[in-house]
Amino acid sequence: MKKDTVRFTMMQVAYWLATCSFFSFSAAYFKWLQIDSSRSGLLISAFTFAGLCGQVLICKLSDKLSALKFTLILCLVISFLTTISIFLSTQYLLLKMLILGFVSIPIPVMIDSWITQFLKERKEEYGNIRSWASLFFAFYAIIYGYLIHRFGFVIMPYASGLWILINILVIIHSKSPDSSHHETSNLKNRVFTTRQAYFMILLLFIVGVSMGPVLHLTIYVIAPLSGTEQTIGTLLFISALVQFPMLRMSTRMSRFSFKQRFLFGFFLYAISIALLMLANQLWMVYIARMIDGIGFGILLPTIVSFTSENSTYKHRSTALSYMDAAQNGIGISMGSALGGYIMYNLNISWMLFTSLFLMIGVVLSLGLLFNLRK
């Protein structure tokens, strides 16, 4: 069991370091290519929207065929080839981002599904496994940001490609997930078992729209404050570093209801956006990202645990993909496009105000309307 836990940790670490190596710095890379903020937002939106389609189709197919391990390896191989091709030539960049999003965004969902199936009734321990990815991500991001600042974007394909290959090797040497679990006859064809799950999908969609431009168009937010690619690395470091203790505390935090944990996490998101609106120095941006990281550290294991308890075992990957697609697929793709449009035609302040307005709406809706039982 300990060896399996180590392998799951390595899967998480390798995936998120590969993501940091390319997507976390993609807006900065597009800016270096002299792509304006509107088109940059479109490329990021294309990536995330394609990921939405990939999550729904790939995860559903994986559940239906009980072929999670094979599907993961296939997605990673295609991700590797597509990432390398982006740096070999910028022709058909939109198409390449669509392909990369389609196959890469479902990967962490399938890994999470594999972990929750392995943990069975110990789902709250997910945060302990995931926490190490945040810790490695934190130190990697700040070092990687410095290396890009020092040597340029030429290092990106080598770094991202290396971590993808490592993940493929880890998965190949891991035991396939157990597919022998049986549901009761009245649940076996259902994805979710409660109405609250559908309410949460709606809320996560709005959260994605709100946070999309804040997270993915960071370079344009910090540019007026003399921020650089190295600044992005520092921001990623701060966010991921504070996630580590919060994720490690996820088991203890399970004594609070789902509603309480969701409310606190979303409230912290709202505070971080408000602070960005007021930021006139980089240290204020750093504090905003720290608050955002704490919120993420609370919300991630809560979402995974909530989804696991409100979905059937057979459709676990599909259920997690719906939750993730609502926020990180449809929500963030629309948010990135909308944020880029608002910033291009109005200004950054209006983009942040829109994000804050939506996040406050989520907090009020959850607090007044929805009853999410533990």
Side-chain angles (χ1 to χ4, degrees), residues 165-182:
L165 289 175
I166 289 174
N167 214 349
I168 291 172
L169 292 175
V170 172
I171 292 172
I172 287 175
H173 291 89
S174 299
K175 183 180 177 181
S176 298
D178 180 21
S179 59
S180 61
H181 185 88
H182 296 288

Side-chain angles (χ1 to χ4, degrees), residues 37 51-52 55-56 67 97 107 109 118 149 221 242 247 276 280 295 299 350:
S37 61
L52 157 71
Q55 284 177 322
V56 174
M97 290 296 287
I107 291 172
V109 176
F118 166 74
H149 185 72
V221 176
V242 297
L247 289 166
L276 278 179
N280 54 18
L299 289 170
W350 274 104

Side-chain angles (χ1 to χ4, degrees), residues 52 103 162 188 193 218 234 340:
L52 157 71
V103 296
L162 173 65
K188 64 181 181 180
T193 57
T218 305
T234 304

